[in-house]
Amino acid sequence: MAKLLVKLQRYFRRKPVRFFTLLALYLAAGSLVFLHSGFAGEPTVTGSQRGPGAGEGPGLPYLGVVQLSRGFKAAATMPELGRRHGPWFKSTSKDLAERSKAGDYGSTRSRVLRGRSVREKEEDRARYIGCYVDNTRRRTLRGVSFFDYKKMTVFRCQDNCAERGYLYAGLEFGAECYCGHKVQASNASESECNMECKGERSNICGGVNRLSIYRLELAQESARRYGSAIFRGCFRQPDNVSIALPVSQVMLNMSVDKCVDFCTEKEYPLSALAGTACRCGFPTTLFTLHEREDEQLCAQKCAGEEFESCGTAEYLLVYQTQVQDNRCMDRRFLPTHAKQLVALASFPGAGNTWARHLIELATGFYTGSYYFDGSLYNKGFKGERDHWRSGRTICIKTHESGQKEIESFDSAILLIRNPYKALMAEFNRKYGGHIGFAAHAHWKGKEWPEFVANYAPWWATHTLDWLRYGKKVLVVHFEDLKRDLFAQLQRMVGLLGIAACEDRLLCVEGQKDGNFKRSGLRKLEYDPYTPEMRKMISGYIKTVDTALKLRNLSGVPDDYYPR
C-alpha cells in the first residue's frame, strides 16, 4: 500500500496539470450531486406560473425585508407573470377532496367566514377594508414587503407595517406581506382572498394575486415612512419661507423621490414639496412642524408621479431625509462639577435609556449612571464610566427605590410607564439584551410568571418611595413624552437648570429614536398576562394613581387601565 502511494505521489509530481484536472473534476462531480439533491422532487411548474417568486417555497426560511420602489419601475418592461405557490397548489384533486372531507381546508366560504370573524376581533389595531387586485408590474401597496413561508400571520404583517409607519398592510399568497401609504388598485371579490395564513390556519392571508388589506389604526402614532424618508405631514407655508427653507428649486416633473434626493444632496434634513417647487431646510422656530394641517390640503398630484401628492404653493408636504441634523449632536462633560445631584429615576423597562438619549441631545452634556453598563458606554453614553458622584454629568440614571438611596439626590426626574409595557420591556431586556427579545420558551415557561410576581409590586413601590422620600421630584409619564416630546423635554431640561434652546429641542425631535429602540419584528402575538396577573397589576395602578393625585399631580394616563 505504501509503495502504491509513493508511486502516485511521484506520478503527480511529474504531471501537476493532470493532478489539478483530476481535482477539478472531483469538485465538479460533488457540486452536481449537491445540486441534484437540492432539486430532487421539485414539481414541474409551467411557464405561466414562473415569475419573480420562482424558487420560493414553503420550506424556505424567513427572507427578511425587501424594499420595493414605489413605481416598481424595474419590472415595468417585464410581462406580467404569476408566481410559484406553496403546497396548497401542489396538492392533487384527490388530496384536496380528502382534506376537504377531513376539515383541513373546508369550503372557500367557510374560510372567508373564519377570517372575517378574526378580523372583527382585531378592530382595535386595524380595520379590514377588503380584497384587492395586485400585480407584479404596479403594486397595490408600494412600500416595503417581506415574506415568511412558515410563520406568516395577520398580526405579524400588521405589526411590521405599523412599526415602519405605513397606513395599510396587505397579505397575499398566505405568506407575503406588503405595506403602503395608499391603496392603488380595484376591488376584487371576497371569495378570491381565500388562502389561509402559513402561521395561523384560522385566518385569511389574501389569494392568488389578491391582497387582503387592512387599514392600520395605530400607524398614526408612529412616524410614517415613504421609501428612505419619514413623512412629517402637511403644513402651511411659513411667512418667511425663503429664510425658513433657504434652498429651493423648481421641478416641472416633480415627485417625492426627486425632492427628497435633491435635499439629501444639499445636506438638509427637511424636504418640502410645494407644487412644482422643492424646498429644503431645518426645523426652526420659523418652521416648527408642530401645527399640522389636514392632508387633503396638500393632496395635489405630482406632475412626475400620478399616485403621489406634492403639496401646493400655500401648503407644503414635508418629509425628513436621511441627512442627520448635527445641531444637537455635540456632547461633553460639564465644565465644572455640579453642586447638586439630579436623579433620572425609573422602574426598569420604563424608558430610562431613551430619556438619557433625549436629555443628552437637548442639553449637550453627558448623563451618568448609578451602575455601569459596558454596552451603553460603547453606544456613546460616555458618562456611564464615571462614578455617579463625580459631578461631571447632567443627571444620574437610577432604578433604586430605598430611602437611603433616594435621599442621596437633591432632585429627581421620575419617569413612569404603563406597568404592562414596562414589565414586558424589562423581561425582554433581561433575557434578550437592550434591543433584543426574550425567547418564546421564556414567555411560556416559569420565568414569566415568576418575573411578574416579583417585579409588579416593585413597579408600585418604586413610584411611591420616590414620591415619599424625594426632595424635589418632577413626574414625567413615558406616554406623554412620546406624545408631546417638545413640551415634556422642556420641563425636564428646566429642572436640570439648563436654558432650553428651542432650535436644539426641534433638532432632538428629528433624532429622537436613538440606538435603543426595539423593532416590531418579534412582538408577541398573544397576551402574556393572565386574568390573575391583570387583577394584581390593576390594584397597583390604582394605588399609584391615588398617590399622584394626593400630591396634586395628574393621575396615571387612561391607557394604563386595560379595556
Side-chain angles (χ1 to χ4, degrees), residues 362 485-486 489-490 493 500-509:
L485 186 143
F486 188 89
L489 199 51
Q490 265 188 325
V493 171
C501 173
E502 288 193 27
D503 280 358
R504 190 173 182 109
L505 293 179
L506 291 169
C507 169
V508 176
E509 285 189 309

Side-chain angles (χ1 to χ4, degrees), residues 1-14:
M1 185 67 183
K3 291 182 179 180
L4 179 62
L5 290 174
V6 170
K7 288 182 179 180
L8 286 173
Q9 186 178 16
R10 288 176 180 175
Y11 175 77
F12 282 120
R13 278 182 181 175
R14 293 194 300 269

Side-chain angles (χ1 to χ4, degrees), residues 21 171 221 223 300 322 354 471 511 521 534 561:
T21 302
L171 295 107
E221 299 176 5
Q300 179 174 300
Q322 289 187 316
W354 180 54
K471 297 172 185 176
Q511 318 287 331
L521 294 178
R534 288 191 172 275
Y561 295 100

Side-chain angles (χ1 to χ4, degrees), residues 494-548:
L495 181 78
L496 298 172
I498 302 294
C501 173
E502 288 193 27
D503 280 358
R504 190 173 182 109
L505 293 179
L506 291 169
C507 169
V508 176
E509 285 189 309
Q511 318 287 331
K512 62 184 180 182
D513 284 343
N515 296 323
F516 286 92
K517 180 180 179 181
R518 289 184 178 89
S519 73
L521 294 178
R522 286 186 57 190
K523 286 183 180 176
L524 287 180
E525 299 182 10
Y526 58 89
D527 183 0
Y529 291 101
T530 64
E532 293 76 16
M533 292 177 182
R534 288 191 172 275
K535 183 179 179 180
M536 174 182 64
I537 295 171
S538 181
Y540 294 136
I541 291 174
K542 291 176 182 176
T543 301
V544 170
D545 184 64
T546 301
L548 290 170

Side-chain angles (χ1 to χ4, degrees), residues 376-389:
L376 291 179
Y377 178 83
N378 293 333
K379 285 288 187 178
F381 289 95
K382 300 304 180 185
E384 191 76 17
R385 182 174 285 181
D386 269 35
H387 188 274
W388 67 277
R389 285 186 178 274

Side-chain angles (χ1 to χ4, degrees), residues 117-219:
S117 65
V118 176
R119 291 167 193 153
E120 291 170 357
K121 298 177 184 177
E122 297 172 346
E123 289 294 316
D124 57 336
R125 71 167 176 263
R127 179 168 56 87
Y128 178 73
I129 64 171
C131 182
Y132 285 79
V133 176
D134 189 35
N135 68 70
T136 55
R137 287 187 180 181
R138 207 165 180 81
R139 289 290 179 194
T140 302
L141 297 175
R142 301 178 188 175
V144 299
S145 64
F146 77 98
F147 317 120
D148 190 337
Y149 290 92
K150 290 184 178 180
K151 298 181 180 180
M152 177 60 73
T153 65
V154 172
F155 177 90
R156 184 170 188 175
C157 180
Q158 292 172 354
D159 195 45
N160 274 272
C161 294
E163 181 73 21
R164 290 164 174 78
Y166 289 98
L167 289 179
Y168 296 95
L171 295 107
E172 185 174 352
F173 289 108
E176 302 178 6
C177 175
Y178 296 89
C179 312
H181 295 299
K182 296 179 181 178
V183 178
Q184 302 170 10
S186 56
N187 284 90
S189 170
E190 285 295 317
S191 61
E192 295 180 57
C193 286
N194 57 8
M195 292 188 65
E196 295 172 334
C197 303
K198 298 296 184 183
E200 54 178 349
R201 299 286 292 275
S202 62
N203 216 340
I204 298 299
C205 284
V208 183
N209 292 325
R210 296 293 183 268
L211 279 171
S212 295
I213 298 183
Y214 295 81
R215 179 177 174 84
L216 305 175
E217 306 298 339
L218 300 182

